[in-house]
Amino acid sequence: MTISRRNLMKIGMAAGAALSIPSVLKAQTTAAGARTVRMVKSADLRVFDPVVETSNITIDHSLAIYDTLFSLDSKFVPQPQMVEKWGVSEDKKTYTFELRDGLSWHDGTPVTAADCVASIRRWVQVPGGQLLMERAKDISKKGDKTFTIALKEPLGLLIDLLATNIGQPLFMMREKDASRPATEQVTTTVGSGPFRFNGALAKPGSSFTYDRNEKYVPRKERSDGLAGGKIVKVDRVIWDNIGDTQTAFAALQAGEIDYVEQPPVDLYSAIENDSNLALQVLDKTGWVMCLRMNCLQKPFDNVKARQAMLHLIDQEAILSAVSPNANYARTVTSLFGNGTPYSNDENTGWFKKGGDPEKAKQLLKESGYAGEKVVILQPTSIAWISDAAQLLAATLRKIGVDAELAPSDWGGVAARRSNKGPVENGGWSIFITSDSGYSLTDPVGSVFLSANGDKGWYGWPKNDEYEALRTKWADVGTSEERKALAREMQRVWWDFVGEVYLGQTLRPIARRKTLSGLIEMPGGFIPMWNMEKA
């Protein structure tokens, strides 16, 4: 069945319209039954390993099939999840953890302390766990269900690090999977979480299926944020990859899917006017859109070229392109986002209404820019990033930059952005992404706010002065001390320009009103337990 985009627009925007998507999807929906939820995600799942990949789609997959030692409740307080009890020595250097009863892998084998030790040892090799790597003296098992973390010096943030959902959360894997190097993907999908990955029904590029893990033993506490009992109230969840947003919207109206992760802004009013549909903001801290530059390659290996980007960006123009509804958008100048405890105005004189193209052009000339091609990764499957990338390319060309778009779906971006080489060898110059406003309150846990070079996150900015300040974050004791430290970090960051902000938005999901119980937590992740379908 072929559907033209023009006809989709005509029919899909009409009040109460219900356009059928391909009959195979409809047949699958009918066969699956009322306790099956169909979700359209904003990206295609290509990497299954949360240590190798930090994309939300990978973390959502991991939340479904894996479990965590600790989890954050709705007030962002760490609570035990796989851990039954834990304690710390008098000198605050040795932590002992005991696993709760009833934990088993999807293959039927029990979860052991050895699995947890291997998972932690692998995780500390990547940015999300590097602080623990620096402080840890030993991580070892003491019995089948007991293990310890011994520190060189006290680390008051240890439990917070183990519980965080920022950047690269710590998920437990089987020892034989977690024994792989952190640079090598784990391709198996055997976890101990509330859902089982259904490999037999996996259709890469089309759909992935998750079934309720009938043997999962939830905690007895009520569900609270990401903590408490992970009660699965549906039998199956299917992630459909529908790249055309109009097709996805029509399917949502028709009741053939239940949820769309990132509906286009121009459809908000149509969704609000449909009595069967609802918009819901799951992350009320908002999203800071940011531009990551490849600091290892020309032209952005030069700090003046990065400063040029800081002055060039017209945030209001970007926001108008990607989120024209003023209720869901605002400019942002603080490294720590808007409205967080650490938001401040230190070193923000670069911000100018409309940007400053002449200043950007001058800085680019001073950087020695010699016409090198600037490749901007453009995920056409995510409308707002695609629109922002096109506007950015046009803006760069106006100041004499040889900007070239590299279109693909998000999976292609996620695969290519790990390439540290020059554009001639399949590398890149710029990609656009976003981070939760909540994430920016934790510079230790947020991979976006690291500046430790090729040991850090994609873009690989490096600044030793900033990293020394970031390391102090784990040890300062009071909120006022952290606020002062935040100002110093922001002063240094906007000088060396680790990344550039494009504005801040709220992003509601769209769902049928028959789907309820979605967990509202910062980070943009979608836990699938607790939700139910009428």
Side-chain angles (χ1 to χ4, degrees), residues 39-76:
M39 310 176 80
V40 173
K41 307 289 287 181
S42 61
D44 183 27
L45 178 64
R46 294 193 181 184
V47 180
F48 297 85
D49 186 346
V51 169
V52 171
E53 179 55 59
T54 60
S55 293
N56 279 26
I57 189 75
T58 298
I59 304 303
D60 286 349
H61 162 81
S62 302
L63 283 170
I65 73 166
Y66 296 118
D67 216 339
T68 56
L69 297 174
F70 293 84
S71 295
L72 296 177
D73 65 21
S74 58
K75 296 181 180 178
F76 318 126

Short mmCIF file of all heavy atoms in Angstrom, two decimals, residues 39-76:
data_model
loop_
_atom_site.label_atom_id
_atom_site.label_comp_id
_atom_site.label_asym_id
_atom_site.label_seq_id
_atom_site.Cartn_x
_atom_site.Cartn_y
_atom_site.Cartn_z
N MET A 39 4.43 1.24 20.34
CA MET A 39 5.07 2.53 20.53
C MET A 39 5.91 2.88 19.30
O MET A 39 6.61 2.01 18.76
CB MET A 39 5.96 2.52 21.77
CG MET A 39 5.28 2.00 23.03
SD MET A 39 6.40 1.88 24.45
CE MET A 39 6.41 3.59 24.99
N VAL A 40 5.84 4.12 18.86
CA VAL A 40 6.73 4.61 17.81
C VAL A 40 7.82 5.43 18.48
O VAL A 40 7.55 6.48 19.07
CB VAL A 40 5.98 5.46 16.77
CG1 VAL A 40 6.96 6.08 15.78
CG2 VAL A 40 4.97 4.59 16.02
N LYS A 41 9.04 4.92 18.42
CA LYS A 41 10.18 5.60 19.03
C LYS A 41 10.76 6.60 18.03
O LYS A 41 10.50 6.53 16.83
CB LYS A 41 11.24 4.58 19.42
CG LYS A 41 10.72 3.45 20.30
CD LYS A 41 10.38 3.92 21.68
CE LYS A 41 11.64 4.20 22.47
NZ LYS A 41 11.33 4.65 23.86
N SER A 42 11.56 7.51 18.53
CA SER A 42 12.13 8.56 17.67
C SER A 42 13.39 8.10 16.96
O SER A 42 13.97 8.85 16.17
CB SER A 42 12.44 9.80 18.51
OG SER A 42 13.38 9.50 19.52
N ALA A 43 13.84 6.89 17.24
CA ALA A 43 15.06 6.38 16.61
C ALA A 43 14.95 4.87 16.48
O ALA A 43 14.16 4.22 17.15
CB ALA A 43 16.29 6.75 17.44
N ASP A 44 15.79 4.32 15.61
CA ASP A 44 15.83 2.88 15.41
C ASP A 44 16.91 2.30 16.32
O ASP A 44 18.02 2.83 16.41
CB ASP A 44 16.14 2.58 13.94
CG ASP A 44 16.13 1.09 13.64
OD1 ASP A 44 15.42 0.36 14.36
OD2 ASP A 44 16.82 0.66 12.70
N LEU A 45 16.60 1.21 17.01
CA LEU A 45 17.56 0.58 17.90
C LEU A 45 18.60 -0.18 17.09
O LEU A 45 18.27 -1.13 16.39
CB LEU A 45 16.82 -0.38 18.85
CG LEU A 45 17.69 -1.17 19.83
CD1 LEU A 45 18.40 -0.23 20.80
CD2 LEU A 45 16.83 -2.19 20.59
N ARG A 46 19.85 0.25 17.22
CA ARG A 46 20.94 -0.42 16.50
C ARG A 46 22.02 -0.95 17.44
O ARG A 46 22.68 -1.92 17.13
CB ARG A 46 21.58 0.53 15.49
CG ARG A 46 20.65 0.94 14.36
CD ARG A 46 21.42 1.61 13.24
NE ARG A 46 20.55 2.03 12.16
CZ ARG A 46 20.98 2.57 11.03
NH1 ARG A 46 22.27 2.75 10.83
NH2 ARG A 46 20.13 2.95 10.10
N VAL A 47 22.20 -0.27 18.57
CA VAL A 47 23.22 -0.68 19.54
C VAL A 47 22.50 -1.09 20.82
O VAL A 47 21.73 -0.31 21.39
CB VAL A 47 24.22 0.45 19.82
CG1 VAL A 47 25.27 -0.01 20.82
CG2 VAL A 47 24.88 0.90 18.53
N PHE A 48 22.74 -2.32 21.29
CA PHE A 48 22.02 -2.87 22.44
C PHE A 48 22.78 -2.72 23.75
O PHE A 48 22.30 -3.14 24.79
CB PHE A 48 21.74 -4.36 22.19
CG PHE A 48 20.85 -4.62 21.00
CD1 PHE A 48 21.39 -4.70 19.72
CD2 PHE A 48 19.49 -4.77 21.16
CE1 PHE A 48 20.58 -4.95 18.62
CE2 PHE A 48 18.67 -5.01 20.07
CZ PHE A 48 19.22 -5.10 18.80
N ASP A 49 23.97 -2.15 23.69
CA ASP A 49 24.87 -2.12 24.83
C ASP A 49 24.94 -0.72 25.43
O ASP A 49 25.47 0.20 24.81
CB ASP A 49 26.26 -2.56 24.37
CG ASP A 49 27.26 -2.72 25.50
OD1 ASP A 49 26.98 -2.23 26.61
OD2 ASP A 49 28.32 -3.32 25.27
N PRO A 50 24.44 -0.50 26.67
CA PRO A 50 24.42 0.84 27.27
C PRO A 50 25.79 1.33 27.73
O PRO A 50 25.92 2.49 28.13
CB PRO A 50 23.47 0.67 28.46
CG PRO A 50 23.63 -0.77 28.85
CD PRO A 50 23.82 -1.51 27.55
N VAL A 51 26.79 0.48 27.69
CA VAL A 51 28.16 0.91 28.00
C VAL A 51 28.79 1.53 26.76
O VAL A 51 29.53 2.51 26.83
CB VAL A 51 29.00 -0.26 28.53
CG1 VAL A 51 30.49 0.11 28.61
CG2 VAL A 51 28.51 -0.67 29.92
N VAL A 52 28.46 0.98 25.60
CA VAL A 52 29.04 1.45 24.34
C VAL A 52 28.27 2.66 23.80
O VAL A 52 28.85 3.57 23.21
CB VAL A 52 29.03 0.31 23.29
CG1 VAL A 52 29.41 0.82 21.91
CG2 VAL A 52 29.99 -0.79 23.72
N GLU A 53 26.94 2.70 24.00
CA GLU A 53 26.09 3.73 23.40
C GLU A 53 25.21 4.39 24.46
O GLU A 53 24.66 3.72 25.34
CB GLU A 53 25.21 3.10 22.32
CG GLU A 53 24.25 4.04 21.63
CD GLU A 53 24.95 5.25 21.04
OE1 GLU A 53 25.83 5.09 20.18
OE2 GLU A 53 24.60 6.37 21.47
N THR A 54 25.11 5.74 24.38
CA THR A 54 24.33 6.50 25.38
C THR A 54 23.01 7.03 24.82
O THR A 54 22.31 7.76 25.52
CB THR A 54 25.15 7.70 25.88
OG1 THR A 54 25.47 8.56 24.76
CG2 THR A 54 26.43 7.25 26.55
N SER A 55 22.64 6.68 23.59
CA SER A 55 21.38 7.15 23.02
C SER A 55 20.21 6.71 23.88
O SER A 55 20.22 5.62 24.47
CB SER A 55 21.19 6.60 21.61
OG SER A 55 22.13 7.13 20.72
N ASN A 56 19.16 7.56 23.92
CA ASN A 56 17.99 7.22 24.71
C ASN A 56 17.37 5.89 24.30
O ASN A 56 16.85 5.14 25.14
CB ASN A 56 16.93 8.33 24.60
CG ASN A 56 17.24 9.49 25.53
OD1 ASN A 56 18.39 9.72 25.87
ND2 ASN A 56 16.23 10.22 25.93
N ILE A 57 17.41 5.58 23.00
CA ILE A 57 16.81 4.34 22.52
C ILE A 57 17.53 3.14 23.13
O ILE A 57 16.90 2.13 23.49
CB ILE A 57 16.83 4.28 20.97
CG1 ILE A 57 16.02 3.09 20.45
CG2 ILE A 57 18.24 4.26 20.43
CD1 ILE A 57 14.55 3.26 20.53
N THR A 58 18.85 3.23 23.29
CA THR A 58 19.61 2.14 23.91
C THR A 58 19.33 2.06 25.40
O THR A 58 19.20 0.97 25.96
CB THR A 58 21.12 2.34 23.66
OG1 THR A 58 21.38 2.30 22.26
CG2 THR A 58 21.95 1.26 24.34
N ILE A 59 19.20 3.21 26.07
CA ILE A 59 18.90 3.22 27.50
C ILE A 59 17.48 2.69 27.74
O ILE A 59 17.24 1.95 28.71
CB ILE A 59 19.07 4.62 28.09
CG1 ILE A 59 20.49 5.14 27.83
CG2 ILE A 59 18.80 4.59 29.60
CD1 ILE A 59 21.60 4.27 28.34
N ASP A 60 16.52 3.06 26.89
CA ASP A 60 15.16 2.53 27.03
C ASP A 60 15.16 1.00 26.92
O ASP A 60 14.48 0.31 27.68
CB ASP A 60 14.25 3.12 25.95
CG ASP A 60 13.89 4.58 26.22
OD1 ASP A 60 14.17 5.06 27.32
OD2 ASP A 60 13.33 5.21 25.31
N HIS A 61 15.90 0.49 25.95
CA HIS A 61 16.04 -0.97 25.79
C HIS A 61 16.63 -1.58 27.07
O HIS A 61 16.15 -2.62 27.56
CB HIS A 61 16.94 -1.24 24.58
CG HIS A 61 17.53 -2.63 24.54
ND1 HIS A 61 16.84 -3.71 24.09
CD2 HIS A 61 18.76 -3.08 24.92
CE1 HIS A 61 17.60 -4.80 24.18
NE2 HIS A 61 18.77 -4.43 24.67
N SER A 62 17.64 -0.91 27.62
CA SER A 62 18.31 -1.44 28.81
C SER A 62 17.42 -1.38 30.04
O SER A 62 17.45 -2.30 30.88
CB SER A 62 19.61 -0.65 29.04
OG SER A 62 20.46 -0.73 27.91
N LEU A 63 16.62 -0.32 30.17
CA LEU A 63 15.68 -0.24 31.29
C LEU A 63 14.69 -1.39 31.26
O LEU A 63 14.22 -1.87 32.32
CB LEU A 63 14.92 1.09 31.25
CG LEU A 63 15.67 2.33 31.72
CD1 LEU A 63 14.87 3.59 31.37
CD2 LEU A 63 15.92 2.28 33.23
N ALA A 64 14.35 -1.85 30.06
CA ALA A 64 13.38 -2.93 29.93
C ALA A 64 13.97 -4.27 30.33
O ALA A 64 13.35 -5.03 31.09
CB ALA A 64 12.86 -2.98 28.50
N ILE A 65 15.16 -4.59 29.84
CA ILE A 65 15.67 -5.96 30.01
C ILE A 65 16.68 -6.12 31.14
O ILE A 65 16.87 -7.23 31.63
CB ILE A 65 16.26 -6.51 28.71
CG1 ILE A 65 17.61 -5.85 28.37
CG2 ILE A 65 15.28 -6.35 27.55
CD1 ILE A 65 18.38 -6.59 27.29
N TYR A 66 17.32 -5.03 31.56
CA TYR A 66 18.29 -5.12 32.64
C TYR A 66 17.72 -4.53 33.93
O TYR A 66 16.65 -3.92 33.93
CB TYR A 66 19.58 -4.38 32.28
CG TYR A 66 20.33 -4.95 31.10
CD1 TYR A 66 20.53 -4.21 29.94
CD2 TYR A 66 20.84 -6.25 31.14
CE1 TYR A 66 21.22 -4.73 28.85
CE2 TYR A 66 21.54 -6.78 30.06
CZ TYR A 66 21.72 -6.02 28.92
OH TYR A 66 22.40 -6.54 27.85
N ASP A 67 18.44 -4.70 35.01
CA ASP A 67 18.07 -4.09 36.28
C ASP A 67 19.28 -3.35 36.82
O ASP A 67 20.39 -3.47 36.29
CB ASP A 67 17.59 -5.16 37.27
CG ASP A 67 16.45 -4.67 38.15
OD1 ASP A 67 16.29 -3.43 38.28
OD2 ASP A 67 15.72 -5.50 38.71
N THR A 68 19.07 -2.56 37.87
CA THR A 68 20.12 -1.72 38.44
C THR A 68 20.27 -2.00 39.94
O THR A 68 19.34 -2.46 40.59
CB THR A 68 19.79 -0.24 38.24
OG1 THR A 68 18.50 0.05 38.80
CG2 THR A 68 19.76 0.12 36.76
N LEU A 69 21.43 -1.70 40.46
CA LEU A 69 21.67 -1.91 41.90
C LEU A 69 20.83 -0.97 42.73
O LEU A 69 20.23 -1.35 43.74
CB LEU A 69 23.15 -1.71 42.21
CG LEU A 69 24.12 -2.68 41.55
CD1 LEU A 69 25.57 -2.27 41.83
CD2 LEU A 69 23.86 -4.11 42.04
N PHE A 70 20.79 0.30 42.32
CA PHE A 70 19.98 1.33 42.96
C PHE A 70 19.21 2.07 41.87
O PHE A 70 19.60 2.07 40.70
CB PHE A 70 20.86 2.33 43.72
CG PHE A 70 21.56 1.76 44.92
CD1 PHE A 70 22.76 1.08 44.78
CD2 PHE A 70 21.02 1.91 46.19
CE1 PHE A 70 23.40 0.54 45.88
CE2 PHE A 70 21.67 1.38 47.31
CZ PHE A 70 22.86 0.68 47.16
N SER A 71 18.11 2.73 42.26
CA SER A 71 17.34 3.54 41.32
C SER A 71 16.89 4.81 42.01
O SER A 71 16.75 4.85 43.24
CB SER A 71 16.11 2.76 40.81
OG SER A 71 16.48 1.64 40.07
N LEU A 72 16.64 5.85 41.22
CA LEU A 72 16.18 7.12 41.77
C LEU A 72 14.67 7.12 41.91
O LEU A 72 13.95 6.74 40.99
CB LEU A 72 16.60 8.28 40.87
CG LEU A 72 18.10 8.53 40.72
CD1 LEU A 72 18.34 9.66 39.74
CD2 LEU A 72 18.75 8.84 42.06
N ASP A 73 14.18 7.59 43.07
CA ASP A 73 12.74 7.73 43.23
C ASP A 73 12.29 9.07 42.63
O ASP A 73 13.10 9.80 42.04
CB ASP A 73 12.32 7.58 44.70
CG ASP A 73 12.88 8.68 45.62
OD1 ASP A 73 13.26 9.76 45.13
OD2 ASP A 73 12.92 8.45 46.84
N SER A 74 11.03 9.41 42.78
CA SER A 74 10.49 10.62 42.13
C SER A 74 11.07 11.90 42.72
O SER A 74 10.94 12.96 42.11
CB SER A 74 8.96 10.64 42.27
OG SER A 74 8.58 10.60 43.63
N LYS A 75 11.72 11.82 43.88
CA LYS A 75 12.38 12.98 44.47
C LYS A 75 13.88 12.94 44.21
O LYS A 75 14.63 13.71 44.82
CB LYS A 75 12.09 13.04 45.97
CG LYS A 75 10.61 13.25 46.29
CD LYS A 75 10.36 13.32 47.79
CE LYS A 75 8.87 13.53 48.08
NZ LYS A 75 8.59 13.56 49.54
N PHE A 76 14.32 12.02 43.34
CA PHE A 76 15.72 11.86 42.93
C PHE A 76 16.62 11.39 44.07
O PHE A 76 17.81 11.68 44.10
CB PHE A 76 16.26 13.16 42.32
CG PHE A 76 15.30 13.84 41.39
CD1 PHE A 76 14.93 15.16 41.56
CD2 PHE A 76 14.72 13.14 40.35
CE1 PHE A 76 14.02 15.77 40.72
CE2 PHE A 76 13.81 13.74 39.50
CZ PHE A 76 13.46 15.06 39.68
#
